[in-house]
Amino acid sequence: VTTTSTTGKNEQSSLPKNGVPKENPREWRNIRFEVLEKVEDLPSFNSVVLEFVKLARREFFSAKDFETVICKDQALVARLLKVANCGLYGRSRTINSIPEAIVLIGLDNLKRIVYAVSSQGMMCKEMTHYGFDAKQGFWIHSMAVGQAAQILAECCPECGIRGEESFVSGLLHDVAKLVLDGFLGNRPHKQVSLEMERSAVGLDHCELAGLILKQWNIPVSISGPVSHHHDFLAGGEATKGAAILSLARGICAAWNVGEISPIDMSRDIPMSRFAAEMEELGLDESRWESVIWNIRQSLSGMEKLFDNA
Ligand SMILES: [Fe+2]
Ligand SMILES: [Fe+2]
C-alpha cells in the first residue's frame, strides 16, 4: 500500500462520521501505523528546551538556572549570542557571554531566542498543505501562537496557567501537522479540516500531538491544552489552557501570521468571535483592548528574530 494512492483514495471517499473509513478498516490501520512510524522520524526536541519546560514548573526561574542549563549546549550558546547581537535589542556594544546577555537583554528575551533557535530545525519545513507561508510560515505561526498564549496566560492570572507552559503549548500546538502533511495527497489544500485529517489517517492533529508529546515526555500541563486546542470545552482539567490556545490561534489567524496571505496586524479583532473562550477565561471587554495591544506589540518585534536565528 503506497501512501499516496491510499491517501488519494480516502480523499475522494465520503467522510466517515467517526473518522474511520468504513469500507476498508485494514487499510486504515496500516496508514495509522505509517503515521506513528513517521513520528519517530521527527527530529527530537532540543533537550535544553525540555529542561526549560521542567524548570518552568518551579516558582522561580533564575538567571543562574538559565545559565546552568544553556551552557550544556555550546552550539546553542553560540547561536544565542549571535541573535542577541543582531541589533534586535538595540545594544551598541557586543554581548560576549550569557551572564552579560542576561543583564543586557533580559531573561525573558533570551528564553524566547532559545525556543526560537531550538525549534527552527524541526519547524522550518516547507509544507504542501495547511496554507502556511513556504519559507518559515509554520515556525512563525507556532512561535506567534506561543507568544500570544503566554501573554494571555499572564493577563488572566486567576486562571492559574503558567506563562512559560502556555508558551510551550502554543509553540507545539500544531506539531502533528509536520507529520500529517505527508499523508494528505499531492494536491495542496490551504484549509484542512480535522475531518479531512481523520478521513486520511484515522486521527487528527490534536490527537496525534497528544501521542507525540507523550513520546517526548512533555508534562500533561502542556500536552493537555495542545490535545484540546480545537475543542477546549471538552478539555477537562486542561480546559482553561486549551481556551488560551484557542484564543491565541484565533488572534494569529485573524492577522494571517505565518500564512501565505499577507500578514496584517492592524486588523481589528471583534471580541464577539471569541465569546466562549473569553467566558472560560473570565476576560471581559475592559481587558480585551489591552490584551490585543500587548499581543500586537510582542508579535511585531518578532520578524527580526526569524531573520537572524
Ligand atoms: Fe495553529
Ligand atoms: Fe490546530
mmCIF file of all heavy atoms in Angstrom, residues 226-272:
data_model
loop_
_atom_site.group_PDB
_atom_site.id
_atom_site.type_symbol
_atom_site.label_atom_id
_atom_site.label_comp_id
_atom_site.label_asym_id
_atom_site.label_seq_id
_atom_site.Cartn_x
_atom_site.Cartn_y
_atom_site.Cartn_z
ATOM 1 N N VAL A 226 -2.779 21.236 24.376
ATOM 2 C CA VAL A 226 -2.495 21.002 22.952
ATOM 3 C C VAL A 226 -3.526 20.024 22.372
ATOM 4 O O VAL A 226 -4.076 20.243 21.297
ATOM 5 C CB VAL A 226 -1.063 20.454 22.760
ATOM 6 C CG1 VAL A 226 -0.840 19.968 21.325
ATOM 7 C CG2 VAL A 226 -0.030 21.524 23.108
ATOM 8 N N SER A 227 -3.812 18.955 23.117
ATOM 9 C CA SER A 227 -4.754 17.948 22.616
ATOM 10 C C SER A 227 -6.164 18.500 22.424
ATOM 11 O O SER A 227 -6.969 17.900 21.719
ATOM 12 C CB SER A 227 -4.841 16.772 23.586
ATOM 13 O OG SER A 227 -3.594 16.158 23.701
ATOM 14 N N HIS A 228 -6.456 19.621 23.093
ATOM 15 C CA HIS A 228 -7.822 20.153 23.009
ATOM 16 C C HIS A 228 -7.889 21.557 22.443
ATOM 17 O O HIS A 228 -8.844 22.273 22.692
ATOM 18 C CB HIS A 228 -8.477 20.096 24.400
ATOM 19 C CG HIS A 228 -8.760 18.699 24.837
ATOM 20 N ND1 HIS A 228 -9.844 17.991 24.372
ATOM 21 C CD2 HIS A 228 -8.071 17.861 25.639
ATOM 22 C CE1 HIS A 228 -9.821 16.776 24.892
ATOM 23 N NE2 HIS A 228 -8.747 16.667 25.666
ATOM 24 N N HIS A 229 -6.886 21.963 21.677
ATOM 25 C CA HIS A 229 -6.924 23.360 21.224
ATOM 26 C C HIS A 229 -8.016 23.645 20.199
ATOM 27 O O HIS A 229 -8.312 24.797 19.933
ATOM 28 C CB HIS A 229 -5.533 23.850 20.766
ATOM 29 C CG HIS A 229 -5.040 23.299 19.461
ATOM 30 N ND1 HIS A 229 -4.370 22.113 19.366
ATOM 31 C CD2 HIS A 229 -5.094 23.795 18.192
ATOM 32 C CE1 HIS A 229 -4.038 21.903 18.085
ATOM 33 N NE2 HIS A 229 -4.473 22.911 17.368
ATOM 34 N N HIS A 230 -8.646 22.598 19.660
ATOM 35 C CA HIS A 230 -9.788 22.841 18.763
ATOM 36 C C HIS A 230 -11.128 22.517 19.430
ATOM 37 O O HIS A 230 -12.168 22.683 18.804
ATOM 38 C CB HIS A 230 -9.639 22.030 17.467
ATOM 39 C CG HIS A 230 -8.615 22.603 16.525
ATOM 40 N ND1 HIS A 230 -8.914 23.593 15.614
ATOM 41 C CD2 HIS A 230 -7.290 22.351 16.380
ATOM 42 C CE1 HIS A 230 -7.816 23.921 14.933
ATOM 43 N NE2 HIS A 230 -6.810 23.176 15.390
ATOM 44 N N ASP A 231 -11.108 22.023 20.655
ATOM 45 C CA ASP A 231 -12.371 21.741 21.356
ATOM 46 C C ASP A 231 -12.158 21.954 22.859
ATOM 47 O O ASP A 231 -12.308 21.034 23.659
ATOM 48 C CB ASP A 231 -12.875 20.316 21.052
ATOM 49 C CG ASP A 231 -11.936 19.231 21.582
ATOM 50 O OD1 ASP A 231 -10.740 19.538 21.785
ATOM 51 O OD2 ASP A 231 -12.403 18.103 21.814
ATOM 52 N N PHE A 232 -11.820 23.182 23.211
ATOM 53 C CA PHE A 232 -11.382 23.421 24.591
ATOM 54 C C PHE A 232 -12.417 23.042 25.640
ATOM 55 O O PHE A 232 -12.056 22.626 26.743
ATOM 56 C CB PHE A 232 -10.933 24.884 24.770
ATOM 57 C CG PHE A 232 -12.024 25.901 24.720
ATOM 58 C CD1 PHE A 232 -12.656 26.315 25.884
ATOM 59 C CD2 PHE A 232 -12.420 26.452 23.517
ATOM 60 C CE1 PHE A 232 -13.666 27.252 25.846
ATOM 61 C CE2 PHE A 232 -13.435 27.393 23.458
ATOM 62 C CZ PHE A 232 -14.061 27.792 24.635
ATOM 63 N N LEU A 233 -13.712 23.128 25.277
ATOM 64 C CA LEU A 233 -14.735 22.831 26.283
ATOM 65 C C LEU A 233 -14.703 21.363 26.716
ATOM 66 O O LEU A 233 -15.168 21.020 27.804
ATOM 67 C CB LEU A 233 -16.122 23.204 25.753
ATOM 68 C CG LEU A 233 -16.363 24.719 25.691
ATOM 69 C CD1 LEU A 233 -17.646 25.039 24.944
ATOM 70 C CD2 LEU A 233 -16.377 25.345 27.097
ATOM 71 N N ALA A 234 -14.120 20.523 25.863
ATOM 72 C CA ALA A 234 -14.027 19.094 26.211
ATOM 73 C C ALA A 234 -12.685 18.781 26.866
ATOM 74 O O ALA A 234 -12.316 17.623 27.037
ATOM 75 C CB ALA A 234 -14.197 18.238 24.952
ATOM 76 N N GLY A 235 -11.943 19.805 27.263
ATOM 77 C CA GLY A 235 -10.574 19.604 27.733
ATOM 78 C C GLY A 235 -10.418 19.134 29.167
ATOM 79 O O GLY A 235 -9.293 18.935 29.623
ATOM 80 N N GLY A 236 -11.522 18.977 29.901
ATOM 81 C CA GLY A 236 -11.408 18.538 31.300
ATOM 82 C C GLY A 236 -10.526 19.487 32.091
ATOM 83 O O GLY A 236 -10.730 20.702 32.061
ATOM 84 N N GLU A 237 -9.504 18.930 32.745
ATOM 85 C CA GLU A 237 -8.613 19.777 33.551
ATOM 86 C C GLU A 237 -7.823 20.766 32.706
ATOM 87 O O GLU A 237 -7.302 21.755 33.225
ATOM 88 C CB GLU A 237 -7.647 18.899 34.345
ATOM 89 C CG GLU A 237 -8.329 18.214 35.504
ATOM 90 C CD GLU A 237 -7.346 17.487 36.412
ATOM 91 O OE1 GLU A 237 -6.131 17.676 36.237
ATOM 92 O OE2 GLU A 237 -7.822 16.762 37.288
ATOM 93 N N ALA A 238 -7.722 20.475 31.428
ATOM 94 C CA ALA A 238 -6.928 21.350 30.547
ATOM 95 C C ALA A 238 -7.787 22.434 29.885
ATOM 96 O O ALA A 238 -7.313 23.147 29.007
ATOM 97 C CB ALA A 238 -6.246 20.509 29.481
ATOM 98 N N THR A 239 -9.063 22.545 30.309
ATOM 99 C CA THR A 239 -9.979 23.449 29.615
ATOM 100 C C THR A 239 -9.452 24.879 29.504
ATOM 101 O O THR A 239 -9.477 25.481 28.431
ATOM 102 C CB THR A 239 -11.355 23.451 30.330
ATOM 103 O OG1 THR A 239 -11.857 22.126 30.263
ATOM 104 C CG2 THR A 239 -12.336 24.374 29.642
ATOM 105 N N LYS A 240 -8.958 25.426 30.599
ATOM 106 C CA LYS A 240 -8.508 26.822 30.551
ATOM 107 C C LYS A 240 -7.266 26.990 29.663
ATOM 108 O O LYS A 240 -7.182 27.921 28.872
ATOM 109 C CB LYS A 240 -8.248 27.366 31.958
ATOM 110 C CG LYS A 240 -9.550 27.587 32.728
ATOM 111 C CD LYS A 240 -9.362 28.546 33.861
ATOM 112 C CE LYS A 240 -10.557 28.523 34.824
ATOM 113 N NZ LYS A 240 -11.856 28.752 34.157
ATOM 114 N N GLY A 241 -6.324 26.084 29.810
ATOM 115 C CA GLY A 241 -5.119 26.138 28.963
ATOM 116 C C GLY A 241 -5.490 26.008 27.491
ATOM 117 O O GLY A 241 -4.914 26.675 26.632
ATOM 118 N N ALA A 242 -6.467 25.141 27.221
ATOM 119 C CA ALA A 242 -6.890 24.937 25.834
ATOM 120 C C ALA A 242 -7.644 26.160 25.312
ATOM 121 O O ALA A 242 -7.524 26.527 24.137
ATOM 122 C CB ALA A 242 -7.751 23.687 25.731
ATOM 123 N N ALA A 243 -8.418 26.810 26.193
ATOM 124 C CA ALA A 243 -9.143 28.024 25.786
ATOM 125 C C ALA A 243 -8.142 29.117 25.416
ATOM 126 O O ALA A 243 -8.339 29.876 24.463
ATOM 127 C CB ALA A 243 -10.067 28.494 26.905
ATOM 128 N N ILE A 244 -7.040 29.189 26.172
ATOM 129 C CA ILE A 244 -5.979 30.157 25.853
ATOM 130 C C ILE A 244 -5.414 29.880 24.460
ATOM 131 O O ILE A 244 -5.259 30.786 23.647
ATOM 132 C CB ILE A 244 -4.860 30.110 26.929
ATOM 133 C CG1 ILE A 244 -5.355 30.791 28.210
ATOM 134 C CG2 ILE A 244 -3.570 30.759 26.424
ATOM 135 C CD1 ILE A 244 -4.359 30.798 29.363
ATOM 136 N N LEU A 245 -5.149 28.613 24.170
ATOM 137 C CA LEU A 245 -4.608 28.271 22.850
ATOM 138 C C LEU A 245 -5.606 28.574 21.740
ATOM 139 O O LEU A 245 -5.237 29.075 20.675
ATOM 140 C CB LEU A 245 -4.239 26.784 22.778
ATOM 141 C CG LEU A 245 -3.036 26.325 23.584
ATOM 142 C CD1 LEU A 245 -2.700 24.880 23.227
ATOM 143 C CD2 LEU A 245 -1.825 27.216 23.324
ATOM 144 N N SER A 246 -6.869 28.282 22.012
ATOM 145 C CA SER A 246 -7.900 28.527 21.025
ATOM 146 C C SER A 246 -7.967 30.026 20.693
ATOM 147 O O SER A 246 -8.037 30.429 19.529
ATOM 148 C CB SER A 246 -9.234 28.028 21.595
ATOM 149 O OG SER A 246 -10.254 28.224 20.678
ATOM 150 N N LEU A 247 -7.894 30.837 21.719
ATOM 151 C CA LEU A 247 -7.926 32.286 21.547
ATOM 152 C C LEU A 247 -6.648 32.772 20.851
ATOM 153 O O LEU A 247 -6.696 33.579 19.919
ATOM 154 C CB LEU A 247 -8.089 32.932 22.930
ATOM 155 C CG LEU A 247 -8.352 34.418 23.047
ATOM 156 C CD1 LEU A 247 -9.432 34.879 22.087
ATOM 157 C CD2 LEU A 247 -8.761 34.762 24.490
ATOM 158 N N ALA A 248 -5.505 32.256 21.287
ATOM 159 C CA ALA A 248 -4.223 32.679 20.707
ATOM 160 C C ALA A 248 -4.165 32.365 19.216
ATOM 161 O O ALA A 248 -3.755 33.198 18.408
ATOM 162 C CB ALA A 248 -3.067 31.998 21.436
ATOM 163 N N ARG A 249 -4.629 31.173 18.848
ATOM 164 C CA ARG A 249 -4.528 30.839 17.420
ATOM 165 C C ARG A 249 -5.568 31.612 16.617
ATOM 166 O O ARG A 249 -5.333 31.970 15.466
ATOM 167 C CB ARG A 249 -4.615 29.326 17.185
ATOM 168 C CG ARG A 249 -5.957 28.741 17.346
ATOM 169 C CD ARG A 249 -6.016 27.239 17.138
ATOM 170 N NE ARG A 249 -7.386 26.804 17.364
ATOM 171 C CZ ARG A 249 -8.319 26.848 16.420
ATOM 172 N NH1 ARG A 249 -8.036 27.223 15.215
ATOM 173 N NH2 ARG A 249 -9.555 26.495 16.714
ATOM 174 N N GLY A 250 -6.714 31.902 17.241
ATOM 175 C CA GLY A 250 -7.735 32.711 16.567
ATOM 176 C C GLY A 250 -7.211 34.114 16.259
ATOM 177 O O GLY A 250 -7.420 34.652 15.172
ATOM 178 N N ILE A 251 -6.511 34.703 17.216
ATOM 179 C CA ILE A 251 -5.954 36.047 17.034
ATOM 180 C C ILE A 251 -4.881 36.030 15.941
ATOM 181 O O ILE A 251 -4.879 36.855 15.034
ATOM 182 C CB ILE A 251 -5.384 36.582 18.374
ATOM 183 C CG1 ILE A 251 -6.524 36.813 19.366
ATOM 184 C CG2 ILE A 251 -4.579 37.868 18.150
ATOM 185 C CD1 ILE A 251 -6.072 37.077 20.800
ATOM 186 N N CYS A 252 -3.986 35.043 16.012
ATOM 187 C CA CYS A 252 -2.917 34.957 14.990
ATOM 188 C C CYS A 252 -3.512 34.708 13.603
ATOM 189 O O CYS A 252 -3.015 35.245 12.606
ATOM 190 C CB CYS A 252 -1.918 33.863 15.342
ATOM 191 S SG CYS A 252 -0.957 34.267 16.819
ATOM 192 N N ALA A 253 -4.570 33.900 13.543
ATOM 193 C CA ALA A 253 -5.196 33.616 12.246
ATOM 194 C C ALA A 253 -5.866 34.876 11.689
ATOM 195 O O ALA A 253 -5.808 35.146 10.492
ATOM 196 C CB ALA A 253 -6.210 32.494 12.385
ATOM 197 N N ALA A 254 -6.475 35.669 12.569
ATOM 198 C CA ALA A 254 -7.148 36.887 12.111
ATOM 199 C C ALA A 254 -6.154 37.855 11.470
ATOM 200 O O ALA A 254 -6.512 38.651 10.612
ATOM 201 C CB ALA A 254 -7.861 37.552 13.278
ATOM 202 N N TRP A 255 -4.908 37.776 11.879
ATOM 203 C CA TRP A 255 -3.864 38.654 11.304
ATOM 204 C C TRP A 255 -3.008 37.941 10.255
ATOM 205 O O TRP A 255 -2.008 38.471 9.785
ATOM 206 C CB TRP A 255 -2.944 39.174 12.425
ATOM 207 C CG TRP A 255 -3.607 40.133 13.363
ATOM 208 C CD1 TRP A 255 -4.666 40.948 13.102
ATOM 209 C CD2 TRP A 255 -3.237 40.393 14.735
ATOM 210 N NE1 TRP A 255 -4.985 41.699 14.218
ATOM 211 C CE2 TRP A 255 -4.123 41.373 15.222
ATOM 212 C CE3 TRP A 255 -2.243 39.890 15.581
ATOM 213 C CZ2 TRP A 255 -4.053 41.867 16.531
ATOM 214 C CZ3 TRP A 255 -2.173 40.374 16.879
ATOM 215 C CH2 TRP A 255 -3.066 41.355 17.349
ATOM 216 N N ASN A 256 -3.358 36.694 9.917
ATOM 217 C CA ASN A 256 -2.614 35.878 8.930
ATOM 218 C C ASN A 256 -1.151 35.676 9.312
ATOM 219 O O ASN A 256 -0.282 35.613 8.436
ATOM 220 C CB ASN A 256 -2.628 36.507 7.521
ATOM 221 C CG ASN A 256 -4.014 36.727 6.991
ATOM 222 O OD1 ASN A 256 -4.957 36.077 7.426
ATOM 223 N ND2 ASN A 256 -4.151 37.651 6.059
ATOM 224 N N VAL A 257 -0.850 35.547 10.580
ATOM 225 C CA VAL A 257 0.558 35.384 10.986
ATOM 226 C C VAL A 257 1.091 34.028 10.520
ATOM 227 O O VAL A 257 0.536 32.990 10.867
ATOM 228 C CB VAL A 257 0.717 35.499 12.522
ATOM 229 C CG1 VAL A 257 2.192 35.382 12.908
ATOM 230 C CG2 VAL A 257 0.141 36.807 13.027
ATOM 231 N N GLY A 258 2.137 34.049 9.694
ATOM 232 C CA GLY A 258 2.768 32.823 9.197
ATOM 233 C C GLY A 258 2.063 32.207 7.988
ATOM 234 O O GLY A 258 2.492 31.182 7.487
ATOM 235 N N GLU A 259 0.992 32.850 7.521
ATOM 236 C CA GLU A 259 0.233 32.256 6.424
ATOM 237 C C GLU A 259 0.676 32.790 5.062
ATOM 238 O O GLU A 259 1.405 33.777 4.982
ATOM 239 C CB GLU A 259 -1.262 32.533 6.637
ATOM 240 C CG GLU A 259 -1.776 31.817 7.870
ATOM 241 C CD GLU A 259 -3.220 32.175 8.206
ATOM 242 O OE1 GLU A 259 -3.923 32.735 7.349
ATOM 243 O OE2 GLU A 259 -3.628 31.895 9.335
ATOM 244 N N ILE A 260 0.190 32.122 3.998
ATOM 245 C CA ILE A 260 0.513 32.579 2.643
ATOM 246 C C ILE A 260 -0.063 33.981 2.438
ATOM 247 O O ILE A 260 0.591 34.864 1.891
ATOM 248 C CB ILE A 260 -0.086 31.610 1.588
ATOM 249 C CG1 ILE A 260 0.546 30.219 1.733
ATOM 250 C CG2 ILE A 260 0.136 32.153 0.181
ATOM 251 C CD1 ILE A 260 -0.112 29.157 0.883
ATOM 252 N N SER A 261 -1.308 34.200 2.894
ATOM 253 C CA SER A 261 -1.923 35.530 2.762
ATOM 254 C C SER A 261 -1.096 36.528 3.563
ATOM 255 O O SER A 261 -0.605 36.193 4.641
ATOM 256 C CB SER A 261 -3.352 35.515 3.305
ATOM 257 O OG SER A 261 -3.980 34.297 3.019
ATOM 258 N N PRO A 262 -0.936 37.764 3.034
ATOM 259 C CA PRO A 262 -0.046 38.715 3.719
ATOM 260 C C PRO A 262 -0.503 39.050 5.140
ATOM 261 O O PRO A 262 -1.703 39.184 5.404
ATOM 262 C CB PRO A 262 -0.084 39.961 2.822
ATOM 263 C CG PRO A 262 -1.106 39.708 1.778
ATOM 264 C CD PRO A 262 -1.491 38.273 1.795
ATOM 265 N N ILE A 263 0.465 39.165 6.007
ATOM 266 C CA ILE A 263 0.194 39.475 7.411
ATOM 267 C C ILE A 263 -0.389 40.889 7.533
ATOM 268 O O ILE A 263 0.015 41.798 6.820
ATOM 269 C CB ILE A 263 1.501 39.317 8.233
ATOM 270 C CG1 ILE A 263 1.261 39.503 9.723
ATOM 271 C CG2 ILE A 263 2.578 40.263 7.767
ATOM 272 C CD1 ILE A 263 2.439 39.056 10.583
ATOM 273 N N ASP A 264 -1.372 41.055 8.414
ATOM 274 C CA ASP A 264 -1.966 42.379 8.637
ATOM 275 C C ASP A 264 -2.387 42.486 10.104
ATOM 276 O O ASP A 264 -3.496 42.116 10.480
ATOM 277 C CB ASP A 264 -3.171 42.576 7.708
ATOM 278 C CG ASP A 264 -3.831 43.937 7.914
ATOM 279 O OD1 ASP A 264 -3.269 44.769 8.683
ATOM 280 O OD2 ASP A 264 -4.903 44.171 7.328
ATOM 281 N N MET A 265 -1.484 43.023 10.912
ATOM 282 C CA MET A 265 -1.780 43.104 12.346
ATOM 283 C C MET A 265 -2.529 44.376 12.726
ATOM 284 O O MET A 265 -2.779 44.613 13.899
ATOM 285 C CB MET A 265 -0.488 42.965 13.153
ATOM 286 C CG MET A 265 0.102 41.576 13.024
ATOM 287 S SD MET A 265 1.169 41.118 14.390
ATOM 288 C CE MET A 265 2.483 42.262 14.178
ATOM 289 N N SER A 266 -2.881 45.176 11.703
ATOM 290 C CA SER A 266 -3.638 46.388 12.025
ATOM 291 C C SER A 266 -5.132 46.039 12.121
ATOM 292 O O SER A 266 -5.934 46.795 12.637
ATOM 293 C CB SER A 266 -3.424 47.452 10.945
ATOM 294 O OG SER A 266 -3.945 46.981 9.719
ATOM 295 N N ARG A 267 -5.475 44.890 11.610
ATOM 296 C CA ARG A 267 -6.884 44.478 11.570
ATOM 297 C C ARG A 267 -7.494 44.375 12.977
ATOM 298 O O ARG A 267 -6.895 43.789 13.882
ATOM 299 C CB ARG A 267 -6.963 43.118 10.879
ATOM 300 C CG ARG A 267 -8.229 42.872 10.114
ATOM 301 C CD ARG A 267 -8.136 41.564 9.358
ATOM 302 N NE ARG A 267 -7.337 41.633 8.154
ATOM 303 C CZ ARG A 267 -6.733 40.568 7.604
ATOM 304 N NH1 ARG A 267 -6.826 39.391 8.175
ATOM 305 N NH2 ARG A 267 -6.047 40.706 6.500
ATOM 306 N N ASP A 268 -8.680 44.947 13.126
ATOM 307 C CA ASP A 268 -9.395 44.825 14.405
ATOM 308 C C ASP A 268 -9.929 43.408 14.561
ATOM 309 O O ASP A 268 -10.314 42.786 13.577
ATOM 310 C CB ASP A 268 -10.588 45.785 14.420
ATOM 311 C CG ASP A 268 -10.152 47.168 14.880
ATOM 312 O OD1 ASP A 268 -9.124 47.260 15.588
ATOM 313 O OD2 ASP A 268 -10.825 48.138 14.521
ATOM 314 N N ILE A 269 -9.953 42.947 15.791
ATOM 315 C CA ILE A 269 -10.484 41.602 16.014
ATOM 316 C C ILE A 269 -11.716 41.703 16.906
ATOM 317 O O ILE A 269 -11.610 42.099 18.060
ATOM 318 C CB ILE A 269 -9.425 40.699 16.679
ATOM 319 C CG1 ILE A 269 -8.178 40.627 15.783
ATOM 320 C CG2 ILE A 269 -9.988 39.311 16.932
ATOM 321 C CD1 ILE A 269 -7.039 39.829 16.353
ATOM 322 N N PRO A 270 -12.872 41.411 16.344
ATOM 323 C CA PRO A 270 -14.086 41.525 17.161
ATOM 324 C C PRO A 270 -14.082 40.497 18.295
ATOM 325 O O PRO A 270 -13.892 39.303 18.059
ATOM 326 C CB PRO A 270 -15.226 41.260 16.170
ATOM 327 C CG PRO A 270 -14.608 40.683 14.958
ATOM 328 C CD PRO A 270 -13.151 40.972 14.967
ATOM 329 N N MET A 271 -14.290 41.020 19.481
ATOM 330 C CA MET A 271 -14.272 40.184 20.673
ATOM 331 C C MET A 271 -15.361 39.108 20.629
ATOM 332 O O MET A 271 -15.181 38.003 21.140
ATOM 333 C CB MET A 271 -14.534 41.112 21.855
ATOM 334 C CG MET A 271 -14.081 40.634 23.160
ATOM 335 S SD MET A 271 -14.636 41.838 24.391
ATOM 336 C CE MET A 271 -16.288 41.231 24.697
ATOM 337 N N SER A 272 -16.466 39.456 19.966
ATOM 338 C CA SER A 272 -17.630 38.558 19.947
ATOM 339 C C SER A 272 -17.274 37.199 19.331
ATOM 340 O O SER A 272 -17.886 36.178 19.658
ATOM 341 C CB SER A 272 -18.759 39.195 19.155
ATOM 342 O OG SER A 272 -18.282 39.566 17.879
#
